[in-house]
Amino acid sequence: MPSKEVTSQAPKTKKNASAHPSGDKRFKVLDITMKRNQYRQDSLIEVLHKAQEAFGYLEEDVLLYVARGLKLPLSRVYGVATFYHLFTMKPSGAHTCVVCLGTACYVKGGGEIVKAVENELGISPGETTPDGQVSLMAARCIGACGIAPAAVFDGTVASKQTPEVVVKRLKEYQKTDAD
Ligand code: FES
């Protein structure tokens, strides 16, 4: 008689079932990338790359999320993120503006928004105004294509932006903080 196969397995726990508490859809993009790579630790660079595309830069919250997902020490993730030049850490400005340049947003004017900020504030993606008030970043799809062109101001996603609206807002940041 064939011996009874032991089939008792621990119930499969859903990896990363705990979505990011902020409900920010960009963390979903990270979940998908990590899952597609079967949470392999050697997919770290690819995952960080995706994170930078989605967020425009890497901040500690994001690094922590990736470290948990891939079960890596934060120090390792932080080390890789700071070692490679292709990664940008949280910009130094008092305010951050991430303009989405993914296909949907670009087609609807994302590129014009960046140009307007370059002209009016004199900074390109990756740069901070000399007064230290505004950092401009670019992202490639922040997971909100339905509200294109999208931008993220200090972590809050804003829909259907125009060059005028974005420039006005950024100039207000400069004014308010200079008062
Ligand atoms: S392309 Fe901008 S949110 Fe997807």
Side-chain angles (χ1 to χ4, degrees):
M1 196 189 251
S3 61
K4 221 172 148 197
E5 220 180 295
V6 181
T7 53
S8 67
Q9 284 176 348
K12 276 192 180 158
T13 51
K14 267 201 214 157
K15 285 201 177 180
N16 256 14
S18 57
H20 193 268
S22 67
D24 189 328
K25 281 190 193 148
R26 293 174 291 174
F27 285 97
K28 267 224 166 96
V29 174
L30 286 188
D31 286 341
I32 292 166
T33 307
M34 290 194 283
K35 193 170 176 191
R36 204 180 45 231
N37 284 288
Q38 294 159 342
Y39 300 91
R40 284 191 340 264
Q41 298 183 332
D42 61 9
S43 67
L44 175 60
I45 290 185
E46 185 181 335
V47 174
L48 288 179
H49 196 64
K50 199 72 194 175
Q52 178 146 310
E53 281 183 5
F55 289 85
Y57 58 90
L58 302 174
E59 63 180 318
E60 186 148 343
D61 200 22
V62 170
L63 298 181
L64 196 61
Y65 195 76
V66 170
R68 285 218 189 101
L70 299 183
K71 294 191 168 46
L72 283 166
L74 180 60
S75 55
R76 165 89 190 284
V77 177
Y78 194 83
V80 169
T82 48
F83 180 78
Y84 290 97
H85 293 307
L86 71 151
F87 297 127
T88 310
M89 302 302 286
K90 188 173 172 26
S92 55
H95 299 278
T96 57
C97 169
V98 181
V99 178
C100 181
L101 293 179
T103 309
C105 290
Y106 192 84
V107 169
K108 294 202 166 174
E112 303 305 315
I113 294 174
V114 169
K115 259 188 230 149
V117 176
E118 284 177 336
N119 290 338
E120 298 286 333
L121 281 90
I123 47 167
S124 298
E127 294 178 353
T128 301
T129 49
D131 61 4
Q133 292 303 332
V134 178
S135 291
L136 175 67
M137 314 298 290
R140 262 187 54 202
C141 193
I142 59 169
C145 308
I147 56 166
V152 188
F153 297 94
D154 290 338
T156 304
V157 178
S159 63
K160 302 191 186 238
Q161 296 296 287
T162 64
E164 296 75 27
V165 166
V166 173
V167 166
K168 187 167 173 248
R169 187 159 182 171
L170 298 184
K171 285 194 166 172
E172 266 161 23
Y173 282 153
Q174 290 187 294
K175 255 198 261 157
T176 322
D177 289 319
D179 289 343

